[in-house]
Amino acid sequence: MSKRRKSGTSPRHESPPPADSAGDSAAVVKVLPRRSFFVELLQRLFIAALCLGAGYGLWRMGRNIIRTGEYNYVLESAGRDGRGEPRRNSPFTRETVHATGDWAREQAFGFMAAGATLAYWGSLVLLSSVGPFTNPLVWNPRHTAMLAVSLIGCIVAVVAFFPPWRIGTSMSCNAFYLVLAASIYLATIRDRAKLKEHSQKIFPALIMSAALVGSFSSGYAVGIIAGIFLCLLLAFQVAMLIPKVRAELMEQPGRLGKSTAAS
């Protein structure tokens, strides 16, 4: 018997027993491999510095637009080869935008709101190393308040960049709210199979329209791409504020930990 144990696999009873539903979070902490404290600290410091730096840059850009009263940018699109050089006979578009007045101020507020939100995220990353914020599986009212502030910042930036009162006159706004309408429609579908089926049709169609119409209007392509990203970001934050949906999302790591322990 001793020889078989030496040459065979480790005994079955050495694997941790599966935990009940009341101890899911504790089971995850035991099953997941422990990472180096210094590695996690360096990662958090890097992400926080990236968010704070980008936030400061966006805030400063918005302040500069308010100071000058102008917002100028150039959008270019052209086919390029593997070395990054423009291809011959490829469609090329160059769109120069000169925004002044209310339009420039709207974009300035958008940059400032986005910068403040990024800086806020960087601060939250730093707080994730402190006391009650260290365990992401334990949700409390403090997390709800922080997430609500983040959602408000994102909504302010979205409304400033894509003002709903400019629908019909701005191609980027038209494209963004087209994506928003499609996302709201998908959110009303309760059947997961039907949701997956419709998502696999709607999002590729939106991306294809960005490629086709974007050759004539770069603003439309920008609105589609930004709309997809921002709608996913907003949808995640809204879902995390709903207790039932949040519980389902936070159960996924617990199920993964239990399956790992059972194997």
Side-chain angles (χ1 to χ4, degrees):
M1 180 65 69
S2 59
K3 292 182 179 180
R4 290 183 61 185
R5 284 196 173 180
K6 289 182 180 179
S7 59
T9 58
S10 57
R12 186 186 182 96
H13 67 269
E14 291 183 3
S15 60
D20 54 7
S21 58
D24 283 348
S25 59
V28 175
V29 175
K30 292 180 180 179
V31 172
L32 294 179
R34 297 186 61 181
R35 302 174 61 184
S36 171
F37 170 78
F38 295 102
V39 172
E40 288 189 354
L41 181 61
L42 289 176
Q43 290 177 348
R44 290 173 180 171
L45 290 176
F46 174 76
I47 296 174
L50 188 64
C51 291
L52 292 172
Y56 174 75
L58 292 175
W59 177 272
R60 187 173 180 180
M61 183 183 298
R63 293 292 299 174
N64 184 61
I65 295 173
I66 292 179
R67 182 178 58 83
T68 60
E70 297 181 353
Y71 175 48
N72 304 314
Y73 62 92
V74 178
L75 294 175
E76 296 181 353
S77 62
R80 297 181 181 274
D81 56 19
R83 296 178 296 178
E85 299 294 333
R87 294 178 180 175
R88 294 182 178 180
N89 301 326
S90 63
F92 177 84
T93 60
R94 180 186 180 92
E95 185 176 351
T96 303
V97 178
H98 177 68
T100 58
D102 293 338
W103 190 7
R105 283 190 290 270
E106 291 164 358
Q107 300 302 302
F109 290 138
F111 283 116
M112 293 173 66
T117 304
L118 279 176
Y120 176 70
W121 290 350
S123 302
L124 292 184
V125 172
L126 292 178
L127 283 175
S128 64
S129 304
V130 180
F133 304 97
T134 54
N135 190 354
L137 298 178
V138 178
W139 193 269
N140 54 45
R142 189 182 294 110
H143 290 84
T144 301
M146 293 188 300
L147 186 59
V149 172
S150 175
L151 180 61
I152 292 173
C154 291
I155 292 176
V156 172
V158 166
V159 173
F161 278 129
F162 304 99
W165 51 88
R166 293 194 180 275
I167 296 176
T169 59
S170 172
M171 287 298 292
S172 61
C173 289
N174 295 340
F176 176 82
Y177 286 102
L178 176 63
V179 177
L180 181 61
S183 301
I184 294 175
Y185 165 73
L186 292 175
T188 61
I189 301 177
R190 301 301 181 186
D191 187 356
R192 292 190 177 183
K194 186 180 294 186
L195 174 62
K196 182 178 180 181
E197 178 184 356
H198 284 65
S199 300
Q200 291 176 346
K201 294 179 180 178
I202 290 177
F203 285 110
L206 290 172
I207 296 174
M208 186 176 297
S209 70
L212 295 176
V213 183
S215 60
F216 304 99
S217 173
S218 54
Y220 180 87
V222 170
I224 291 292
I225 297 172
I228 293 175
F229 172 76
L230 292 174
C231 285
L232 291 175
L233 179 63
L234 293 174
F236 175 76
Q237 296 188 68
V238 171
M240 288 296 290
L241 287 174
I242 303 175
K244 182 178 180 180
V245 179
R246 181 176 67 241
E248 292 180 357
L249 292 175
M250 296 183 71
E251 280 180 3
Q252 299 301 322
R255 293 174 183 173
L256 178 62
K258 290 167 69 177
S259 63
T260 305
S263 61

